[in-house]
Amino acid sequence: IHGDVELYDDNGDYFWGDYRHGVREGMGVIVLKNGDYYVGRFKSGYLDGFVTEVVQASDSRNIKREVFYCMGTRHGFYREIGQNKQFLAVGRFVNGRKTGSHWCWTRGDSFIVGPVDEEDRPDGDKMIFLYPDLTTTLCGHFCHGKMTEGRIVHLHGVRMEWGMPVPGVRESDNPVIFRYEQSGPSCISTSPMVRDPYEARYVYVAESGVPRAGEGLMAKTGIRSGQVCSLFNGVRQHHDDSVGWSDYRIACGEDMDLDIEQDSTSVGRYRASLAHKTQHSFSPNSHFAQFWHPRFGQIMCIVADRNIEQGDEIFVCYHYAMAKAPEWYQELWFKSGAWRMWSG
């Protein structure tokens, strides 16, 4: 075989590229039966140098990976990019395995820095979790994606580890130890009075400016447009339209809701997350979004739609289904004029 060829293997794989005297040599494309494909240059029959891969992740998303190969094996730096060009990870392969420290993006624009296991889950000692402000930091041990022990630390410079920048940290005087404690159907938290360090920096609860609304969520310092303001953790319940009404229930994925039960609505009983204190507005300055947290797992958060000044109240639209919404919500909807934009 010589020249530009197309080959179909019996196992369903496909190759298109250059052959030289029966050996793959030059640019080529391999498309596997499952749809994964690899584009790069072949040398003596093996992928070698810079290769672009498009592979399916465990959650069925396509990931684009740009990585260096050596004689058919991933060996060198890589970066992974998700849908909509979202950065996912950067790190290093050695002889086909991810080695050393990696920067991994998590929902909510946080980052985990450190080693990963065979399933790309954080795994090791002195793992670093950087909150969205890239200042508030936890450092501790992760075991196959779950934080077994984490403490608040202070960022202190940067060090290079085989070409990868790794944040330097120094201990703080805060003795609190955080652990993975994802909520269940009835238990919201095993440490309900331990505040999250990121929220403690940016928000507090005080009397709302909305008449007769009770407490609201205030900005403790300036919050930038696009920045996470607060976290919404809750008991986990499968989505079921037949379940009774709750003012606090919010969708967290296609089949999972988060809810704050009545005995956890007061900060005197629960303050591990505070977004449930945010008052409603049809002209809000923030919106709900998903967030991955090393303590709570997959939860929701509130993200600023514009710059919020120190002392300002934070508002979010609850997006209640109008047919089931409480009377106060329907009245406010009509008075605000939001009904003019209602489509059904």
Side-chain angles (χ1 to χ4, degrees), residues 63-81:
I63 291 177
K64 177 183 177 183
R65 179 187 294 130
E66 297 171 337
V67 58
F68 286 92
Y69 270 65
C70 180
M71 296 299 291
T73 300
R74 298 183 187 100
H75 190 80
F77 292 107
Y78 78 92
R79 69 172 179 175
E80 293 175 347
I81 303 168

Side-chain angles (χ1 to χ4, degrees), residues 27-142:
M27 290 302 298
V29 179
I30 296 176
V31 182
L32 302 184
K33 182 180 180 179
N34 66 359
D36 294 352
Y37 65 88
Y38 307 80
V39 181
R41 185 171 296 277
F42 286 80
K43 182 178 180 182
S44 302
Y46 298 99
L47 280 169
D48 201 81
F50 184 77
V51 175
T52 299
E53 308 174 347
V54 175
V55 297
Q56 192 175 83
S58 56
D59 56 2
S60 300
R61 295 176 301 153
N62 283 336
I63 291 177
K64 177 183 177 183
R65 179 187 294 130
E66 297 171 337
V67 58
F68 286 92
Y69 270 65
C70 180
M71 296 299 291
T73 300
R74 298 183 187 100
H75 190 80
F77 292 107
Y78 78 92
R79 69 172 179 175
E80 293 175 347
I81 303 168
Q83 296 174 341
N84 302 319
K85 299 183 178 180
Q86 171 64 55
F87 166 83
L88 296 179
V90 64
R92 190 169 56 98
F93 277 91
V94 175
N95 295 324
R97 299 186 64 178
K98 289 184 176 179
T99 303
S101 291
H102 307 257
W103 284 73
C104 303
W105 174 87
T106 66
R107 288 188 181 276
D109 289 335
S110 301
F111 293 90
I112 296 181
V113 186
V116 297
D117 65 11
E118 294 80 3
E119 297 181 22
D120 290 344
R121 298 172 300 187
D123 187 66
D125 291 318
K126 298 183 179 179
M127 301 286 300
I128 294 171
F129 178 76
L130 291 169
Y131 280 86
D133 60 355
L134 302 183
T135 299
T136 311
T137 308
L138 298 179
C139 181
H141 182 268
F142 279 70

